[in-house]
């Protein structure tokens, strides 16, 4: 089944064309029928007048003969037939048992219905005889007797050929068909031009809407006329102006928020540096303090470390938001980079690494270290052993997988694990970490032009990082 076109342009053109075809067929049909009726009526009237005129000229006696009158002879009937004959006609004259003919037709060619009705009045009938259409006129001669018309028994049947009329009708049909085709073509051209004229503002609106979607908020359209499309264009311009104002305000507020976070994070660095120095001293003294003060000191040290990590993450996030994060690419041995990342953080004994010693990729080593550290750290904190890191080269780049064997992330939390400050489950709201690690990991991966994804395993969770060749 051929699908119907759904475009507005196609529907307009099809509608115009269908209307034109319908109107053309209607006009052609009505015109043809009127012309056919007029032509046939004219031919019938001419034939009837001819037969009536010639029959009224009969001078020999017919019907009830008066004293001294002789019945008509075959010769006299032949004269009547000759008078009724003409180009292409065939005539039959009957009087009792006498029949005079002029032409190829015989009495067997006269329709029975016409023969019967001809005894009462002058009648006509169109019939195909010998593969040709004829107009047959049948009439009986009447004679006035004692003031009243009396049938004489003399009947004449004249066959008028309709071939000329059929040719005229065929010519008329051809002319009407050609005119119909011309009308349809004209309607199609008008439909295309009208559709273009109607759809041009719609296409402009579509292009303008696309431009707005691409961020060009200053897009406006000229307003022409006072019709519905002009009103729609005006409303579009008003909506675009309102959107531009709203987005401008939102961008301003967002920029202010980013500056605030960045400024606060940098301002916190100084007191954190002092707090970290004091924390190191307290850490050395904690072992010599009583149990309860020692526990309080360890709690303070732990929270100071969390605060320091949070500030560092906020500063890193602010760089990505401000668009100042850059890549410093260089050839990196992936296996060595992963091992160094684990060794610096004291995770070497807790993580199993599977990576070819010869695997080299063009990466920013500092940002790759952040990605691995955040994914492995997340697996160690919230997953379960063993934690596996697999790295391999693919056709299009580098693939790194980090898997733990813990309970796994709940399915409803999977779409949000890379969101900022998201922690799966209420029990993790106060857990270690800032809630920004995975978000920072994704930002660094995207800065390389790569992707990072997560899915549940049985058991555990699998993070997959893909970085393209650069």
């Amino acid at each position: 089944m051929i699908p119907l076109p759904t475009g507005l342009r196609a529907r307009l053109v099809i509608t115009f064309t269908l209307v034109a075809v319908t109107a053309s067929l209607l006009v052609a049909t009505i015109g043809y029928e009127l012309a056919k009726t007029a032509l046939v009526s004219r031919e019938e009237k001419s034939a009837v007048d001819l037969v009536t005129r010639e029959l009224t000229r009969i001078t020999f006696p017919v019907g009830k003969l008066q004293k001294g009158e002789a019945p008509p002879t075959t010769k006299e009937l032949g004269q009547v037939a000759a008078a009724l004959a003409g180009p292409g006609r065939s005539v039959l004259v009957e009087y009792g048992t006498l029949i005079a003919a002029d032409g190829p037709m015989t009495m067997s060619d006269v329709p029975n219905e016409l023969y019967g009705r001809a005894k009462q009045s002058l009648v006509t009938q169109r019939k195909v005889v010998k593969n040709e259409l004829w107009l047959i006129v049948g009439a009986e001669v009447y004679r006035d007797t004692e003031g009243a018309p009396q049938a004489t028994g003399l009947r004449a049947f004249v066959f008028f050929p309709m071939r000329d009329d059929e040719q005229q009708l065929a010519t008329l049909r051809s002319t009407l068909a050609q005119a119909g085709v011309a009308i349809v073509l004209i309607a199609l051209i008008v439909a295309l031009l009208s559709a273009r004229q109607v759809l041009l503002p719609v296409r402009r609106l579509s292009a303008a809407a696309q431009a707005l979607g691409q961020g060009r908020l200053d897009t406006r359209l000229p307003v022409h006329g006072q019709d519905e499309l002009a009103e729609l264009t005006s409303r579009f311009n008003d909506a675009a102006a309102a959107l531009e104002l709203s987005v401008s305000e939102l961008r301003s507020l967002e920029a202010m928020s980013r500056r605030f976070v960045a400024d606060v994070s940098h301002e916190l660095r100084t007191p954190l540096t002092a707090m970290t120095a004091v924390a190191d001293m307290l850490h050395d003294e904690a072992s010599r303090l009583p149990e309860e003060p020692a526990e309080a000191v360890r709690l303070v040290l732990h929270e100071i470390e969390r605060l320091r990590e949070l500030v560092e993450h906020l500063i890193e996030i602010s760089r990505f938001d401000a668009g100042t994060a850059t890549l410093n690419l260089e050839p990196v041995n992936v296996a060595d980079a992963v091992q160094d990342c684990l060794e610096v953080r004291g995770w070497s004994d807790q993580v199993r690494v599977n990576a070819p010693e010869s695997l080299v990729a063009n990466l920013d080593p500092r940002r790759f270290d952040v990605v691995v550290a955040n994914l492995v750290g997340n697996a160690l904190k919230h997953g379960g052993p063993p934690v596996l890191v697999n790295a391999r080269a693919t056709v299009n780049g580098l693939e790194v997988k980090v898997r733990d064997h813990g309970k796994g992330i709940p399915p409803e939390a999977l779409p949000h694990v890379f969101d900022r400050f998201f922690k799966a489950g209420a029990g993790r709201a106060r857990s270690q970490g800032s809630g920004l690690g995975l978000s920072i990991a994704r930002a660094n991966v995207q800065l390389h032009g790569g992707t990072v994804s997560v899915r549940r395993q049985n058991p555990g969770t699998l993070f997959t990082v893909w970085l393209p060749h650069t």
Side-chain angles (χ1 to χ4, degrees):
M1 184 176 179
I2 301 176
L4 294 176
T6 57
L8 183 57
R9 179 189 181 92
R11 283 183 285 172
L12 284 173
V13 172
I14 291 174
T15 302
F16 266 87
T17 305
L18 288 177
V19 170
V21 169
T22 304
S24 178
L25 286 175
L26 186 61
V27 171
T29 301
I30 294 175
Y32 176 78
E33 291 298 327
L34 290 175
K36 178 180 177 181
T37 301
L39 182 63
V40 171
S41 298
R42 185 189 66 184
E43 290 300 319
E44 287 186 355
K45 184 177 184 302
S46 176
V48 169
D49 290 344
L50 173 64
V51 172
T52 302
R53 183 175 62 252
E54 294 300 329
L55 291 181
T56 57
R57 293 179 179 176
I58 295 176
T59 58
F60 54 82
V62 290
K64 187 177 180 180
L65 300 176
Q66 301 296 324
K67 186 178 179 179
E69 292 180 339
T73 63
T74 304
K75 181 179 179 181
E76 290 174 328
L77 295 180
Q79 292 174 349
V80 174
L84 292 171
R89 300 178 202 157
S90 184
V91 182
L92 297 170
V93 179
E94 179 189 44
Y95 185 77
T97 59
L98 299 177
I99 298 176
D102 189 325
M105 300 300 178
T106 64
M107 291 302 297
S108 61
D109 296 320
V110 178
N112 293 331
E113 180 183 358
L114 179 73
Y115 185 84
R117 290 190 296 124
K119 295 180 180 180
Q120 302 172 357
S121 62
L122 189 147
V123 293
T124 62
Q125 182 177 339
R126 291 190 298 276
K127 185 180 180 182
V128 176
V129 181
K130 297 179 181 179
N131 299 322
E132 186 175 351
L133 181 64
W134 299 83
L135 172 62
I136 307 173
V137 179
E140 184 170 355
V141 177
Y142 281 77
R143 182 175 183 181
D144 288 336
T145 303
E146 298 177 355
Q150 297 291 329
T152 64
L154 188 148
R155 286 188 291 274
F157 300 94
V158 184
F159 292 75
F160 291 87
M162 301 286 291
R163 65 176 71 94
D164 292 339
D165 300 322
E166 286 187 307
Q167 290 178 356
Q168 292 182 30
L169 291 175
T171 302
L172 178 61
R173 283 196 300 269
S174 176
T175 302
L176 290 174
Q178 294 174 0
V181 172
I183 291 174
V184 171
L185 291 177
I186 294 173
L188 185 59
I189 295 173
V190 172
L192 290 172
L193 294 176
S194 300
R196 182 180 182 277
Q197 189 69 21
V198 170
L199 295 180
L200 183 60
V202 177
R203 285 197 292 269
R204 288 175 178 169
L205 281 172
S206 177
Q210 183 178 8
L212 281 179
Q214 294 172 350
R216 298 197 294 273
L217 301 180
D218 58 342
T219 302
R220 302 292 185 274
L221 290 173
V223 180
H224 301 294
Q226 297 181 350
D227 57 8
E228 290 80 358
L229 287 175
E231 182 179 358
L232 177 61
T233 303
S234 178
R235 291 185 181 276
F236 172 85
N237 289 338
D238 294 341
L243 178 63
E244 182 180 19
L245 179 60
S246 299
V247 171
S248 178
E249 292 176 351
L250 289 174
R251 286 175 176 173
S252 178
L253 291 174
E254 185 181 8
M256 291 174 60
S257 176
R258 289 175 179 173
R259 284 196 301 270
F260 176 77
V261 172
D263 293 343
V264 169
S265 300
H266 282 86
E267 290 298 324
L268 285 175
R269 266 187 164 181
T270 300
L272 273 175
T273 302
M275 292 172 66
T276 302
V278 174
D280 291 340
M281 293 176 58
L282 289 175
H283 183 270
D284 296 336
E285 298 294 331
S287 59
R288 293 191 289 271
L289 294 174
E291 183 63 26
E292 291 185 1
E295 183 65 25
V297 168
R298 283 191 286 270
L299 179 61
V300 170
L301 294 177
H302 176 71
E303 295 300 325
I304 289 175
E305 178 61 23
R306 284 189 61 199
L307 182 59
R308 185 190 64 78
E309 181 183 0
L310 175 61
V311 170
E312 291 297 329
H313 283 175
L314 286 174
I315 292 174
E316 185 70 10
I317 284 290
S318 67
R319 292 194 185 103
F320 282 107
D321 289 344
T324 58
T326 58
L327 280 177
N328 297 310
L329 300 176
E330 59 182 73
V332 174
N333 186 290
V334 176
D336 292 343
V338 173
Q339 291 290 357
D340 291 344
C341 173
L342 300 178
E343 185 175 342
V344 167
R345 292 165 178 82
W347 296 339
S348 298
D349 297 337
Q350 306 174 58
V351 181
R352 190 162 70 235
V353 179
N354 180 21
E357 292 294 335
S358 60
L359 181 56
V360 177
N362 203 31
L363 307 169
D364 184 324
R366 184 183 71 84
R367 297 192 180 279
F368 182 69
D369 177 82
V370 171
V371 172
V372 175
N374 279 311
L375 295 180
V376 173
N378 182 78
L380 292 173
K381 291 177 184 178
H382 309 298
V387 175
L388 308 176
V389 178
N390 295 293
R392 69 184 182 95
T394 65
V395 176
N396 298 318
L398 170 67
E399 182 184 79
V400 179
K401 294 185 176 181
V402 178
R403 179 186 175 182
D404 66 74
H405 290 73
K407 295 181 179 180
I409 299 174
E412 64 274 9
L414 285 176
H416 308 289
V417 294
F418 295 107
D419 294 349
R420 296 179 183 180
F421 299 108
F422 177 79
K423 296 182 180 182
R428 292 184 55 187
R430 297 287 299 167
S431 64
Q432 291 185 359
S434 62
L436 293 172
L438 293 180
S439 178
I440 291 174
R442 181 177 64 174
N444 279 288
V445 170
Q446 291 176 343
L447 193 62
H448 280 84
T451 60
V452 57
S453 61
V454 59
R455 68 173 184 266
R456 287 174 57 85
Q457 300 292 289
N458 188 23
T461 305
L462 175 64
F463 286 86
T464 303
V465 175
W466 174 81
L467 301 175
H469 289 307
T470 53

